[in-house]
């Protein structure tokens, strides 16, 4: 079967928050990663990026692109956190903005917090495991590279 990956833990991951958990929440499938919740079903064994064609950009690649735009479109004022968060929310909640089936824990936690009514600045979170280990690598790399060319 296309996209089969028996070792995938996506089928064990929470569709409504960080790490492993149930698939009862609709954060994945309705709020973000529209129409992709079926790939998270228990026993599914789907590869994390099974909904992408070869060479197509993963969600994290799209996040790098979004971060680069945010770093370069601020003009004299530079980086604007509020603008970046609004652009992130718009991107993630717009059906068809990307085709990736997988969303890392940091995305799921952010939108879990947003669904709970927290202000955007209070939505980023950390589960002390996934975010520290792998989820947190893409955006800091872009920020470091973007900042390297700026005078101190």
């Amino acid at each position: 079967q296309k996209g089969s990956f028996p070792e995938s833990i996506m089928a064990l991951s929470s569709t409504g928050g960080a790490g492993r958990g149930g698939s009862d929440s609709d954060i994945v499938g309705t709020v973000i990663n529209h129409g992709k919740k079926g790939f998270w079903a228990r026993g599914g064994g789907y590869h994390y990026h099974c909904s992408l064609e070869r060479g197509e950009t993963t969600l994290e690649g799209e996040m790098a692109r979004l971060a680069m735009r945010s770093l370069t479109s601020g003009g004299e004022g530079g980086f604007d956190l509020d603008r970046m968060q609004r652009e992130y929310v718009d991107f993630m909640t717009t059906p068809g903005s990307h085709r990736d089936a997988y969303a890392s824990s940091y995305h799921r936690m952010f939108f879990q917090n947003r669904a709970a009514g927290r202000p955007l600045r209070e939505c980023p979170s950390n589960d002390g495991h996934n975010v520290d280990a792998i989820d947190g690598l893409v955006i800091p790399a872009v920020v470091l590279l973007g900042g390297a060319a700026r005078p101190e």
Side-chain angles (χ1 to χ4, degrees), residues 109-110 112-125:
M109 288 186 300
F110 184 97
Q112 177 185 37
N113 290 335
R114 183 173 177 259
R118 291 192 181 151
L120 287 184
R121 284 195 174 226
E122 295 177 19
C123 289
S125 193

Side-chain angles (χ1 to χ4, degrees), residues 8-14 39-40 42 46-48 50 101-102:
S8 171
I9 63 164
M10 189 161 70
L12 302 174
S13 297
S14 172
F39 296 116
W40 295 65
R42 300 302 173 254
Y46 288 98
H47 188 275
Y48 304 96
C50 61
Y102 187 67

Side-chain angles (χ1 to χ4, degrees), residues 31-96:
V31 178
I32 62 173
N33 293 53
H34 303 91
K36 305 294 190 293
K37 185 176 177 180
F39 296 116
W40 295 65
R42 300 302 173 254
Y46 288 98
H47 188 275
Y48 304 96
H49 309 294
C50 61
S51 55
L52 300 177
E53 297 297 325
R54 282 193 177 122
E56 197 170 358
T57 305
T58 65
L59 178 56
E60 293 313 302
E62 296 290 353
M63 291 299 96
R65 199 176 316 190
L66 181 68
M68 283 185 268
R69 277 196 306 265
S70 290
L71 288 171
T72 59
S73 63
E76 287 297 315
F79 177 73
D80 180 336
L81 176 62
D82 294 324
R83 187 188 76 238
M84 182 179 181
Q85 284 187 321
R86 284 191 309 272
E87 291 172 355
Y88 170 64
V89 169
D90 289 346
F91 178 84
M92 292 295 291
T93 60
T94 300

